[in-house]
Amino acid sequence: MPRAMNQTLQRLQKQLAAFTVAQRVIGVLLLVGVVIAGLAFFRWASAPTYAPLFSNLAGSDASAIVDKLDGDGVKYKLADGGSTVLVPNDVVYTERVKLSGAGLPASSEGGYSLLDQQGVTASQFQQQVTYQRALEGELAKTVQAIDGVSTAVVHLAIPAKDVFLDEQSKPSASVLVGMKPGVQLNDQQVQSVVHLVASSIEGMSPEDVTVVDGKGNLLSTKGGPGSVGVGGTSRDQMTADYESRQASQLQSVLDKIVGPGRAVAQVNATLQFDTIDTTTERVYTDPQAKPLATTTTKETYSGGGGAASGVLGTDNIAVPSGSSGTGKYDKTTTTTNNAESKVTEKKSATPGSVVRQSVSVVVDTKATGVDLTKLESAISTAAGIDTTRGDTLNVTSLPFDTSTAKTAAAELKKAEAAQQKAQLIGWAKQALIILGIAVLLLLIWMSRRKKRGAVSAEELVRLDLMEQREAALALPGQRRAIDGAEQVPALEAAGGAAPVTPQRRKDDVLALVERQPDEVAELLRGWLADRRS
């Protein structure tokens, strides 16, 4: 066994010595690459897969669970700012059962679990406060279930019951939501939070709920249904959305008329965010309808008599003059009671209506064949310009500055060139790896070919010496020449080679002795040892 190992090592050394410097460097690099890849694969394959053990944990619960896992010798990872504990996938259920048996998680920071800790000696005030805290905790958990919300805190202001209903105060609530990075609540989600909290508390209306995000932005304010979702930030957002939408529509029209990049549109709008309630009452009579009642009064008088005439006396009484005459009187009065109709209209102007808007359109002077008058008419119709409410439209022609666009195009070309270069480098790396593998395979093939050539030479020596040995045994005392003229049966090589003559065999043996003297000497020693035994 040691002799065989020694032969193998010597053969390996000779094969390595036959390689060139480039082949040795490539072989070493490939060997190092294979070792590194094997280590990386082993590390990846041996690394455990982690799964959540508990999520949305309080700080005290997370600390207790981590201490318990350290005591059990279980590996773990923390995620979501420490509120989620991850353990290897194969021990999730085992550790979850163990921790549940130990009473973990046992946090009582919110929810109806607070009611389980009350004793029989708790006062009414303590019971009321604990119930309010339980409501706040349950609402916070519910709000946290909304996609994008990481944390939520709910504060309730529930007044005590009053004997007189007209003096009873209404409850109110405030909600603080913390969002995940890159996520923001939209108006619909804010309204959902408001109505969720309002419908969970008896006597609370949506206008009594205030929602604030983690940055202090007011998402909804107290004051009425119209104020939900239209706080300071939301108002600016709604205005910006309207202006952006209008500008985008106008820009699409300009691109089709003038051409892309030849004109630009800008919209400045003022929106109405106040809630306006208008009540209108109107009473009218239908002329086609029949009257409810009609009353006619007629007065007629006829008769004779003298009219009072004469000179006034000292007592202001006229002295009759003795003249006479006749009199007649007619009067007709008609009263008609018609049916009356009353119409009451109530209008509420919801926030978001347009008070006025200003549109500015600038056309590049390089855009030829553009009629600004017709273009202004088209833009006025597309933007819905209403001059009665104070809308303005301005269309001008000015030269555009294209230096920034050219710089951006140049930078884009550089970025594309860098990307192509990186792609070529990646392809070159892959090609080098493939080439290295091909070179390694070629070296292995060459080594095996040399080994096969050496084995063939050894067999050649073995056959030649065996032939000489047999000849010596058959003709003792006679001299046998290896280089005789007689032909021996030829050994056909693979591929139909020419017959091998004794002279050629002798030349091959001598070449083998010169090329691999140590191996030939070792082979002869082995044969002599076998012969002696």
Side-chain angles (χ1 to χ4, degrees):
M1 189 67 180
R3 181 181 300 174
M5 292 181 61
N6 189 16
Q7 293 178 358
T8 303
L9 292 175
Q10 290 179 357
R11 188 180 298 110
L12 182 60
Q13 291 177 357
K14 292 180 179 179
Q15 291 177 357
L16 292 177
F19 291 164
T20 62
V21 178
Q23 292 177 346
R24 294 177 185 177
V25 173
I26 293 175
V28 171
L29 293 178
L30 290 176
L31 181 61
V32 173
V34 170
V35 172
I36 294 175
L39 293 176
F41 177 77
F42 176 76
R43 183 176 180 181
W44 172 79
S46 61
T49 303
Y50 287 85
L53 180 63
F54 292 106
S55 301
N56 297 326
L57 293 173
S60 57
D61 284 342
S63 177
I65 290 174
V66 167
D67 292 340
K68 187 66 176 178
L69 293 177
D70 288 335
D72 295 341
V74 178
K75 297 181 179 179
Y76 64 89
K77 291 182 178 180
L78 298 178
D80 298 334
S83 61
T84 301
V85 179
L86 305 174
V87 296
N89 197 15
D90 54 347
V91 298
V92 170
Y93 301 105
T94 304
E95 291 299 323
R96 189 174 295 173
V97 171
K98 288 183 179 180
L99 294 174
S100 299
L104 295 174
S107 176
S108 60
E109 293 185 358
Y112 292 120
S113 60
L114 293 174
L115 302 177
D116 299 334
Q117 302 176 3
Q118 285 188 347
V120 294
T121 59
S123 63
Q124 184 178 2
F125 175 76
Q126 292 176 341
Q127 293 177 357
Q128 182 64 28
V129 172
T130 304
Y131 177 70
Q132 181 172 335
R133 289 180 57 197
L135 286 178
E136 293 174 350
E138 291 295 330
L139 289 174
K141 292 180 181 178
T142 306
V143 174
Q144 287 179 5
I146 298 176
D147 188 17
V149 178
S150 60
T151 57
V153 179
V154 179
H155 296 287
L156 300 177
I158 302 177
K161 296 290 184 179
D162 199 295
V163 178
F164 303 100
L165 295 178
D166 56 349
E167 297 180 1
Q168 178 66 42
S169 301
K170 297 177 62 177
S172 60
S174 60
V175 183
L176 175 65
V177 291
M179 306 304 300
K180 295 180 180 179
V183 182
Q184 185 177 2
L185 287 179
N186 53 34
D187 293 341
Q188 184 177 2
Q189 291 176 322
V190 173
Q191 292 183 8
S192 300
V193 173
V194 169
H195 287 83
L196 173 66
V197 175
S199 59
S200 301
I201 307 300
E202 181 182 359
M204 184 179 294
S205 56
E207 57 266 22
D208 295 325
V209 180
T210 302
V211 181
V212 182
D213 63 3
K215 297 181 181 179
N217 298 323
L218 186 63
L219 304 181
S220 72
T221 183
K222 185 176 178 181
S227 61
V228 176
V230 291
T233 304
S234 298
R235 291 182 180 183
D236 297 339
Q237 184 65 32
M238 290 180 64
T239 304
D241 292 343
Y242 175 79
E243 294 174 350
S244 177
R245 185 170 60 253
Q246 284 288 93
S248 177
Q249 294 176 357
L250 296 178
Q251 191 64 44
S252 63
V253 175
L254 291 172
D255 291 343
K256 293 180 180 179
I257 297 176
V258 183
R262 296 291 185 177
V264 63
Q266 184 68 31
V267 179
N268 186 11
T270 302
L271 303 184
Q272 175 65 39
F273 294 101
D274 297 333
T275 303
I276 301 175
D277 296 332
T278 304
T279 302
T280 303
E281 292 185 359
R282 182 166 56 91
V283 180
Y284 69 97
T285 301
D286 188 2
Q288 302 295 332
K290 294 182 179 181
L292 297 178
T294 302
T295 304
T296 303
T297 303
K298 186 176 182 181
E299 297 179 1
T300 304
Y301 173 80
S302 61
S309 61
V311 181
L312 295 177
T314 57
D315 55 359
N316 293 331
I317 297 176
V319 178
S321 60
S323 62
S324 61
T326 61
K328 188 177 181 181
Y329 171 75
D330 293 328
K331 180 181 180 182
T332 302
T333 304
T334 302
T335 303
T336 303
N337 296 327
N338 296 317
E340 296 179 354
S341 299
K342 181 179 181 181
V343 177
T344 303
E345 296 181 355
K346 292 185 178 180
K347 296 182 180 179
S348 296
T350 58
S353 59
V354 180
V355 177
R356 63 182 300 273
Q357 63 178 348
S358 301
V359 179
S360 176
V361 177
V362 180
V363 182
D364 190 5
T365 54
K366 296 180 181 180
T368 59
V370 178
D371 190 350
L372 296 182
T373 303
K374 295 181 179 180
L375 181 62
E376 183 176 357
S377 177
I379 295 300
S380 177
T381 304
I385 299 298
D386 187 1
T387 56
T388 58
R389 66 182 180 187
D391 295 352
T392 58
L393 173 63
N394 185 17
V395 179
T396 57
S397 178
L398 295 173
F400 280 13
D401 182 11
T402 59
S403 59
T404 304
K406 292 180 180 179
T407 304
E411 293 296 332
L412 182 61
K413 289 183 179 180
K414 291 182 180 179
E416 292 178 353
Q419 184 177 3
Q420 293 178 357
K421 183 178 180 180
Q423 189 175 7
L424 291 176
I425 292 175
W427 289 349
K429 291 180 179 179
Q430 296 178 1
L432 288 176
I433 294 174
I434 295 174
L435 181 61
I437 295 174
V439 170
L440 179 62
L441 295 177
L442 180 61
L443 293 176
I444 294 174
W445 178 77
M446 291 176 62
S447 63
R448 289 185 177 180
R449 184 177 179 183
K450 289 182 179 180
K451 185 176 181 181
R452 285 196 300 269
V455 172
S456 299
E458 291 178 3
E459 291 294 334
L460 184 63
V461 174
R462 184 187 297 273
L463 291 174
D464 185 68
L465 294 178
M466 287 179 66
E467 183 181 358
Q468 295 180 15
R469 181 180 179 184
E470 291 176 357
L473 292 175
L475 299 175
Q478 298 181 5
R479 183 177 179 181
R480 292 162 299 277
I482 298 177
D483 51 351
E486 297 180 355
Q487 296 290 337
V488 296
L491 297 176
E492 295 185 359
V500 181
T501 61
Q503 181 62 34
R504 181 179 178 183
R505 185 179 300 171
K506 180 180 179 180
D507 295 338
D508 292 338
V509 171
L510 294 176
L512 178 63
V513 172
E514 293 178 358
R515 186 170 60 253
Q516 299 177 353
D518 296 337
E519 294 183 1
V520 174
E522 187 67 26
L523 182 62
L524 293 176
R525 292 192 191 97
W527 287 347
L528 293 176
D530 294 340
R531 184 176 179 182
R532 293 172 183 174
S533 60

